[in-house]
């Protein structure tokens, strides 16, 4: 039976909250800061030769792009309900421990997160590496049951992994 693949637009509650907080910060505090920079740069005179004004306009464009990106991301995601997570299958919002069958049984533990969540820290608050559901390992393990063997295609070939633990 083929493994159920994770939806591409899923996100953990903590990831959603972090991106929502960033959006609020950018819309309020950061916009005010950039507006102040623009106002100060205008005071220097001729805008056509004003490097400070050009830099502030560029910063404003980057800010508005990030705000647009966050709005688009947050409008399309499905937030994972932590209470309804199925710990029998690897999926977004779960901590997955894998045994590397090709490297003397070495164990790796990952928090599987939505692809948009990795714009921040690469590690969870307790030091576990976070990987995207769209990464080669994330795609390969999503939907697999505890105890199943998984083949993962990586740039240096194929690795055999076994799902040995799935936790909330």
């Amino acid at each position: 039976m083929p493994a159920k693949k994770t939806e591409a637009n899923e996100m953990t509650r903590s990831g959603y909250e972090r991106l929502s907080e960033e959006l609020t910060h950018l819309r309020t505090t950061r916009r005010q800061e950039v507006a102040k920079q623009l106002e100060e740069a205008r005071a220097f005179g001729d805008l056509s030769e004003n490097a400070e004004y050009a830099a502030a306009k560029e910063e404003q464009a980057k800010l508005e792009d990030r705000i647009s990106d966050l709005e688009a991301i947050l409008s399309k995601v499905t937030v994972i309900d932590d209470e309804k997570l199925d710990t029998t299958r690897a999926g977004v919002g779960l901590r997955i421990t894998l045994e590397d069958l090709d490297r003397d049984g070495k164990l790796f533990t990952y928090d599987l997160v939505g692809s948009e969540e990795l714009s921040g820290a690469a590690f969870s608050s307790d030091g576990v590496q976070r990987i995207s559901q769209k990464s080669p390992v994330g795609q390969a393990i999503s939907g697999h049951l505890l105890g199943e063997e998984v083949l993962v295609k990586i740039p240096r070939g194929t690795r055999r992994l076994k799902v040995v633990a799935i936790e909330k």
Side-chain angles (χ1 to χ4, degrees), residues 74-103:
L74 294 172
S75 71
K76 296 176 186 173
V77 300
T78 300
V79 178
I80 303 297
D81 183 350
D82 293 343
E83 298 301 315
K84 294 181 181 176
L85 285 173
D86 177 6
T87 56
T88 62
R89 289 188 183 276
V92 173
L94 296 170
R95 179 164 289 180
I96 317 298
T97 301
L98 303 167
E99 178 182 1
D100 190 332
L101 300 174
D102 296 327
R103 292 190 179 170

Side-chain angles (χ1 to χ4, degrees), residues 1-2 12 20-22 26 29 31 53 57 66 70 96 101-102 130 134-135 150 157 164 166:
M1 179 162 127
T12 63
S20 293
E21 287 170 9
E22 179 184 354
L26 294 178
T29 306
R31 266 188 178 153
Y53 182 77
K57 286 299 280 182
R66 181 62 179 158
L70 288 172
I96 317 298
L101 300 174
D102 296 327
R130 299 165 70 219
K134 290 185 179 179
S135 69
V150 182
V164 295
I166 303 173

Side-chain angles (χ1 to χ4, degrees), residues 20-159:
S20 293
E21 287 170 9
E22 179 184 354
L23 179 58
T24 299
H25 171 75
L26 294 178
R27 284 178 172 164
T28 56
T29 306
R30 192 69 190 117
R31 266 188 178 153
Q32 290 173 358
E33 292 169 356
V34 171
K36 186 176 179 184
Q37 289 172 352
L38 280 167
E39 185 180 318
E40 290 171 358
R42 278 191 198 103
F44 290 123
D46 183 9
L47 300 181
S48 65
E49 295 181 15
N50 186 331
E52 289 83 4
Y53 182 77
K57 286 299 280 182
E58 185 176 326
E59 181 65 25
Q60 182 183 41
K62 287 180 185 177
L63 171 66
E64 294 305 323
D65 284 347
R66 181 62 179 158
I67 288 171
S68 293
D69 289 348
L70 288 172
E71 288 171 342
I73 290 166
L74 294 172
S75 71
K76 296 176 186 173
V77 300
T78 300
V79 178
I80 303 297
D81 183 350
D82 293 343
E83 298 301 315
K84 294 181 181 176
L85 285 173
D86 177 6
T87 56
T88 62
R89 289 188 183 276
V92 173
L94 296 170
R95 179 164 289 180
I96 317 298
T97 301
L98 303 167
E99 178 182 1
D100 190 332
L101 300 174
D102 296 327
R103 292 190 179 170
D104 297 326
K106 185 174 180 179
L107 297 178
F108 299 91
T109 301
Y110 300 111
D111 284 342
L112 190 59
V113 298
S115 60
E116 303 297 345
E117 293 183 63
L118 286 180
S119 62
F123 294 90
S124 63
S125 60
D126 57 358
V128 174
Q129 185 174 351
R130 299 165 70 219
I131 62 169
S132 164
Q133 70 191 44
K134 290 185 179 179
S135 69
V137 173
Q139 286 180 353
I141 66 173
S142 289
H144 280 279
L145 297 168
L146 185 63
E148 282 189 325
E149 227 177 269
V150 182
L151 293 177
V152 180
K153 291 181 183 176
I154 58 172
R156 291 176 275 152
T158 301
R159 290 177 60 193

